[in-house]
């Protein structure tokens, strides 16, 4: 498989900035604007969150944005409608991130087909573990040119990291600390030991670090240990406020990449 | 037909372990260890001894004479309401606290709906001197205030879950998040036969003491081990799993689960998951759920906080799908009447949850020679306010 995700990592191996947002938040129809503005401001990769009523791996910020998005009327079907023409304007890789049940109800095969049709490059489904992925989903994802991006944490053993690396593609999502999203604001010593442990394994997939990356300092720090970093809760939080949506997005990306 | 879990954690097409990677080390440790621990000599000795001397087992199998006259059939009550802490929940928490001790865990977390599982967990944590945190929906904290006070007196920290509808499902979400944030030294005592494998099997095994006792007690009283039917209420389904367990292979025994229909199965205010739900994944397990067409979980309702859950254990999903189990429902109204009937006929005030099982006696064609076992899973102390409001005493 060789899609926009592979091309990104071939062209850029340092300081990749990936941003997550919840589709349908703050307003139902902000999805396309947010994607276009993120690209315009130099973000390299976007994770479009599909809201779920019971997001167990998420902290309060993304729980809240998911709840509001659902109240606004977001659904998997609606999201695909919004993304129908996204590839006419957006070139960077796009990933859909969300929980398994809405995907199951949409129909896994149908879901993969729609992803390919609108130009999605990868999926992150935190509650689809490796063994279930291998037995039921892998061939379908691959047939539709979709990378399945799997998570590893400080508690993941070397043996399992190597197994995940062998069975997944695109990149590896390194969860920086054992936590739900948006819970920690700094990078502690045990985390750098974990980052170094992963680096020594010499994985075939590049890695991005996520969870707890919220500002220029944490972005810089984590970028030392991986191809780049993922920001979610801090961006979702920044979408609230007085300014226009475009100003909020450009202002936020600037504080991460170049705060001067 | 085989009704046991397979080595991949499935009952037919239901079950599995759809966990985020953050939970993998804990779940994998449990999966690897639980069978050898619960079959070890030390564990068995301590478990059996605590059930006998601390919980007060065996619980009586009581022939309810006046109820039997009323229904013109034989009605037996399995008195789980007489257990220490007032329900069957303690069977599971005793098992899991011993398991946690073997795994050298120092901190216990739990979710609770009505507060029965929370109290049972806080109780065993006090017994073992282990730190205890219980998540409870903020709405349930209000409507089950006496149990909240009990848990606090027992030394547990009760944290109100403020997300969603603020009931059992949300408490479960918060407990799972706690486990993700505390991956070392913490054991999550799930209160029902739900959640990722191996929980449904593990909890069913700890509760299976109920049907183990029913068999020999019935033999002692009637000279036969098999009843005509076993009836139990189902939310997540732990008391029903325990009451059915040793009869699963005896296909002549009817297994009847009773779901909470709330205000009725044609209203949105219901928790009858098998009657109305469709298959999907919630809380790491593939089973029937109350959900909309986008796969978002819908909020259940029942007068009984312990049955107010939008999913059901995968064992029950399998029994339902294969036809081995029959699943009926009872409305709030029917349940309240059945609770009053038992109170007046036998002098036993049942929990609202257990009264769902009693309500099934109105819905089944009973023969005079039938032997009907009702699993009376809990007592009604915690529901007095609801009863008093309704009946106006």
């Amino acid at each position: 498989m060789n899609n926009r995700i592979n091309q990104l990592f071939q062209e850029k191996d340092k300081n990749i900035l990936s941003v997550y947002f919840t589709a349908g938040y703050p307003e139902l129809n902000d999805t396309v604007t947010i994607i276009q503005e993120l690209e315009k401001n130099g973000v390299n990769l976007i994770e479009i969150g599909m809201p779920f009523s019971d997001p167990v791996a998420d902290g309060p910020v993304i729980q809240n944005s998911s709840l509001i998005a659902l109240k606004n009327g977001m659904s998997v079907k609606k999201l695909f409608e919004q993304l129908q023409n996204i590839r006419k304007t957006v070139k960077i890789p796009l990933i859909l991130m969300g929980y398994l049940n809405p995907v199951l109800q949409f129909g896994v095969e149908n879901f993969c087909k729609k992803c390919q049709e609108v130009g999605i490059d990868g999926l992150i489904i935190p509650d689809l573990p490796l063994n279930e992925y291998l037995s039921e989903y892998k061939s379908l994802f691959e047939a539709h040119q979709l990378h399945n991006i799997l998570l590893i944490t400080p508690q993941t053993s070397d043996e399992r990291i190597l197994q995940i690396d062998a069975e997944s593609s695109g990149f590896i999502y390194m969860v920086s600390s054992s936590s739900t999203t948006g819970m920690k604001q700094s990078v502690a010593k045990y985390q750098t030991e974990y980052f170094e442990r992963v680096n020594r394994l010499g994985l075939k997939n590049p890695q991005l670090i996520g969870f707890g990356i919220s500002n220029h300092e944490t972005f810089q720090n984590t970028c030392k240990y991986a191809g780049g970093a993922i920001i979610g809760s801090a961006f979702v939080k920044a979408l609230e406020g007085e300014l226009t949506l475009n100003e909020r997005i450009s202002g936020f990306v600037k504080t991460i990449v170049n705060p001067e | 037909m085989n009704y046991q879990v397979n080595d991949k954690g499935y009952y037919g097409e239901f079950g599995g372990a759809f966990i985020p990677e953050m939970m993998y080390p804990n779940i994998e440790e449990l999966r690897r260890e639980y069978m050898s621990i619960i079959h070890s000599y030390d564990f068995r000795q301590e478990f059996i001894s605590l059930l006998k001397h601390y919980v007060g087992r065996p619980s009586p199998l009581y022939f309810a004479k006046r109820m039997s006259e009323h229904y013109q059939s034989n009605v037996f009550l399995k008195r789980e309401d007489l257990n220490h802490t007032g329900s069957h929940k303690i069977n599971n928490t005793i098992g899991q606290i011993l398991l946690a001790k073997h795994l050298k865990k120092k901190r216990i977390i739990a979710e609770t709906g009505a507060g029965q599982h929370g109290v049972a967990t806080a109780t065993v944590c006090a017994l073992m001197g282990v730190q205890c945190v219980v998540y409870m929906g903020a709405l349930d904290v209000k409507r089950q205030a006496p149990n909240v006070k009990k848990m606090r007196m027992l030394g547990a920290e009760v944290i109100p879950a403020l997300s969603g509808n603020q009931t059992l499902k949300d408490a479960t979400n918060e407990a799972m998040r706690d486990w993700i944030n505390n991956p070392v030294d913490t054991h999550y005592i799930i209160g029902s036969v739900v959640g990722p494998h191996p929980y449904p099997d593990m909890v069913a095994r700890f509760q299976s003491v109920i049907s183990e006792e029913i068999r020999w007690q019935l033999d002692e009283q009637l000279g036969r081990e098999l009843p005509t039917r076993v009836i139990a209420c189902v939310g997540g389904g732990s008391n029903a799993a325990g009451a059915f367990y040793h009869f699963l292979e005896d296909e002549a025994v009817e297994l009847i689960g009773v779901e909470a229909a709330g205000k009725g199965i044609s209203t949105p205010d219901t928790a009858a998951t098998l009657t109305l739900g469709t298959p999907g994944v919630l809380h790491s397990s593939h089973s029937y759920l109350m959900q909309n067409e986008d796969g978002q979980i819908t909020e259940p309702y029942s007068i009984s906080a312990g049955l107010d859950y939008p999913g059901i254990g995968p064992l029950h999903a399998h029994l339902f799908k294969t036809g081995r189990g029959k699943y009926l429902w009872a409305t709030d109204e029917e349940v309240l009447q059945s609770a009053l009937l038992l109170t007046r006929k036998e002098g036993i005030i049942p929990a609202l949850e257990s009264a769902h099982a009693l309500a099934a006696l109105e819905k089944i064609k009973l023969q005079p020679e039938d032997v009907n076992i009702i699993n009376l899973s809990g007592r009604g102390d915690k529901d007095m306010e609801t009863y008093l409001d309704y009946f106006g005493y």
Side-chain angles (χ1 to χ4, degrees):
Chain A
M1 206 187 306
N2 189 6
N3 67 21
R4 294 175 200 90
I5 293 175
N6 308 90
Q7 286 152 27
L8 169 64
F9 285 99
Q10 280 152 23
E11 286 159 16
K12 189 172 165 76
D13 61 358
K14 272 284 151 221
N15 299 322
I16 288 175
L17 173 58
S18 177
V19 171
Y20 166 95
F21 74 99
T22 307
Y25 175 87
E27 302 292 336
L28 178 62
N29 291 315
D30 286 339
T31 311
V32 172
T33 313
I34 293 173
I35 295 170
Q36 289 172 339
E37 284 302 307
L38 285 171
E39 179 175 49
K40 203 190 290 174
N41 285 282
V43 166
N44 307 109
L45 175 70
I46 297 174
E47 293 166 24
I48 306 165
M50 301 179 285
F52 181 48
S53 53
D54 296 86
V56 290
D58 286 298
V61 173
I62 293 175
Q63 285 173 44
N64 184 49
S65 65
S66 301
L67 194 71
I68 292 171
L70 291 173
K71 277 194 186 139
N72 288 343
M74 184 47 74
S75 66
V76 175
K77 187 162 166 262
K78 182 88 204 161
L79 180 59
F80 281 128
E81 282 166 27
Q82 293 178 343
L83 296 175
Q84 195 61 47
N85 295 312
I86 197 72
R87 284 303 175 195
K88 289 189 178 153
T89 53
V90 172
K91 303 235 168 350
I92 61 174
L94 299 175
I95 288 171
L96 289 187
M97 179 165 185
Y99 293 81
L100 183 58
N101 197 48
V103 175
L104 285 179
Q105 303 312 317
F106 193 83
V108 180
E109 184 159 13
N110 200 15
F111 181 84
C112 292
K113 239 183 243 170
K114 283 303 252 182
C115 283
Q116 189 171 24
E117 193 182 303
V118 303
I120 297 297
D121 304 289
L123 300 173
I124 304 175
I125 303 176
D127 58 345
L128 178 60
L130 180 64
N131 61 332
E132 295 287 346
Y133 166 67
L134 292 178
S135 64
E136 302 285 334
Y137 299 83
K138 192 175 188 207
S139 53
L140 261 181
F141 284 20
E142 288 180 353
H144 294 90
Q145 300 292 305
L146 294 165
H147 288 297
N148 183 39
I149 288 121
L150 293 170
L151 278 55
I152 61 173
T153 83
Q155 263 67 44
T156 312
S157 67
D158 287 0
E159 189 191 357
R160 187 162 168 87
I161 292 175
L162 290 168
Q163 195 190 359
I164 283 170
D165 184 49
E167 300 290 0
S168 65
S169 59
F171 64 90
I172 286 181
Y173 193 134
M174 281 174 71
V175 175
S176 66
S177 63
S178 302
S179 72
T180 44
T181 55
M183 298 307 280
K184 314 228 163 123
Q185 260 91 47
S186 62
V187 179
K189 184 163 175 292
Y190 81 92
Q191 290 174 279
T192 58
E193 281 164 10
Y194 150 65
F195 298 155
E196 283 162 359
R197 172 166 73 94
V198 175
N199 287 343
R200 280 195 301 272
L201 290 173
L203 304 181
K204 78 169 163 69
N205 287 300
Q207 302 109 49
L208 296 180
I209 297 176
F211 286 42
I213 321 298
S214 59
N215 53 30
H216 179 66
E217 190 198 346
T218 44
F219 178 67
Q220 290 283 12
N221 276 343
T222 45
C223 279
K224 283 184 224 154
Y225 300 97
I230 301 163
I231 297 183
S233 297
F235 177 68
V236 171
K237 216 187 267 176
L239 289 175
E240 302 162 5
E242 296 290 305
L243 309 167
T244 66
L245 190 58
N246 296 12
E247 287 165 338
R248 279 175 250 160
I249 294 169
S250 63
F252 180 82
V253 175
K254 202 165 165 243
T255 64
I256 299 298
V257 181
N258 184 13
E260 307 312 311
Chain B
M1 195 81 181
N2 181 8
Y3 303 104
Q4 296 292 337
V5 76
N6 70 19
D7 58 357
K8 293 200 170 77
Y10 278 86
Y11 300 88
E13 66 192 271
F14 301 106
F18 294 87
I19 45 167
E21 190 62 29
M22 293 81 105
M23 281 166 69
Y24 179 84
N26 278 318
I27 294 293
E28 179 59 16
E29 179 185 35
L30 267 184
R31 192 192 65 78
R32 238 181 13 239
E33 307 279 351
Y34 85 109
M35 287 296 267
S36 62
I37 293 175
I38 68 181
H39 285 130
S40 70
Y41 178 79
D42 287 356
F43 182 95
R44 294 293 310 161
Q45 287 296 105
E46 209 172 352
F47 184 57
I48 290 167
S49 166
L50 282 171
L51 287 185
K52 182 173 176 189
H53 302 294
Y54 185 72
V55 175
R57 301 205 72 92
S59 68
L61 182 69
Y62 166 67
F63 176 65
K65 189 157 169 281
R66 296 189 68 222
M67 284 288 275
S68 298
E69 280 164 14
H70 180 83
Y71 284 109
Q72 294 291 299
S73 191
N74 301 296
V75 177
F76 285 82
L77 305 174
K78 180 60 175 162
R79 298 291 308 274
E80 293 298 300
D81 60 317
L82 292 176
N83 291 340
H84 181 40
T85 74
S87 80
H88 71 291
K89 292 290 186 188
I90 191 98
N91 304 329
N92 170 45
T93 59
I94 292 273
Q96 287 205 48
I97 197 77
L98 294 177
L99 186 88
K101 208 172 81 175
H102 280 257
L103 294 170
K104 304 195 166 39
K105 305 289 181 180
K106 297 184 172 59
R107 177 174 176 270
I108 295 295
I109 56 172
E111 85 296 333
T112 195
Q116 291 306 92
H117 174 59
V119 168
T121 304
T123 298
V124 297
C125 287
L127 176 68
M128 297 290 169
V130 181
Q131 187 194 349
C132 180
V133 176
V134 178
Y135 290 90
M136 188 172 189
L139 180 69
D140 289 338
V141 169
K142 275 191 205 133
R143 56 179 181 174
Q144 306 286 340
N147 273 343
V148 175
K149 288 176 188 153
K150 267 189 213 167
M151 286 185 269
R152 289 187 173 139
M153 184 166 174
L154 287 159
E157 183 187 358
V158 180
I159 303 182
L162 298 167
S163 54
N165 230 24
Q166 311 189 334
T167 62
L168 180 54
K169 167 182 82 102
D170 313 295
T172 308
N173 290 342
E174 289 304 326
M176 289 177 116
R177 288 181 187 120
D178 180 302
W179 214 13
I180 288 171
N181 283 288
N182 298 284
V184 183
D185 287 352
T186 294
H187 175 70
Y188 177 17
I189 300 190
I190 295 185
S192 193
V193 286
V194 301
H197 177 69
Y199 278 101
D201 182 51
M202 190 167 78
V203 177
R205 283 169 189 273
F206 292 146
Q207 292 295 358
S208 71
V209 63
I210 299 171
S211 48
E212 192 184 313
E213 289 174 3
I214 293 172
R215 283 189 83 115
W216 65 254
Q217 288 172 321
L218 207 55
D219 190 29
E220 204 174 73
Q221 294 177 38
L222 298 183
R224 58 187 270 195
E225 284 189 14
L226 301 184
T228 311
R229 60 183 64 87
V230 181
I231 306 171
C233 67
V234 282
S238 70
N239 90 80
F244 294 173
Y245 197 87
H246 289 284
F247 298 112
L248 287 171
E249 320 298 327
D250 296 299
E251 309 251 353
V253 178
E254 273 185 67
L255 305 177
I256 295 175
V258 188
E259 299 192 296
K263 292 177 183 162
I265 55 165
S266 54
T267 74
D269 298 324
T270 178
T273 309
L274 288 175
T275 308
L276 297 170
T278 50
V281 170
L282 175 69
H283 296 146
S284 313
S285 177
H286 184 242
S287 187
Y288 283 82
L289 309 175
M290 307 283 275
Q291 57 182 329
N292 69 17
E293 62 170 21
D294 186 41
Q296 308 299 336
I297 310 307
T298 55
E299 299 292 351
Y301 163 82
S302 163
I303 193 169
S304 109
L307 303 180
D308 199 351
Y309 183 69
I312 187 162
L315 167 65
H316 293 293
H318 182 53
L319 297 179
F320 173 71
K321 188 83 190 270
T322 56
R324 177 69 189 93
K326 255 209 312 217
Y327 291 84
L328 312 176
W329 47 265
T331 64
D332 291 355
E333 184 73 35
E334 293 168 329
V335 163
L336 287 158
Q337 294 305 334
S338 291
L340 185 61
L341 183 75
L342 184 74
T343 305
R344 292 295 169 84
K345 291 282 180 198
E346 301 289 348
I348 297 170
I349 302 177
L352 279 166
E353 289 77 12
S354 320
H356 284 73
L358 292 163
L361 292 170
E362 302 282 342
K363 296 165 184 259
I364 301 166
K365 202 166 173 332
L366 304 170
Q367 301 298 332
E369 67 278 13
D370 286 357
V371 173
N372 308 284
I373 311 273
I374 301 281
N375 196 36
L376 202 70
S377 56
R379 59 178 173 242
D381 306 26
K382 69 185 177 57
D383 299 312
M384 286 318 294
E385 207 172 315
T386 308
Y387 287 141
L388 299 188
D389 278 356
Y390 182 82
F391 295 113
Y393 297 121

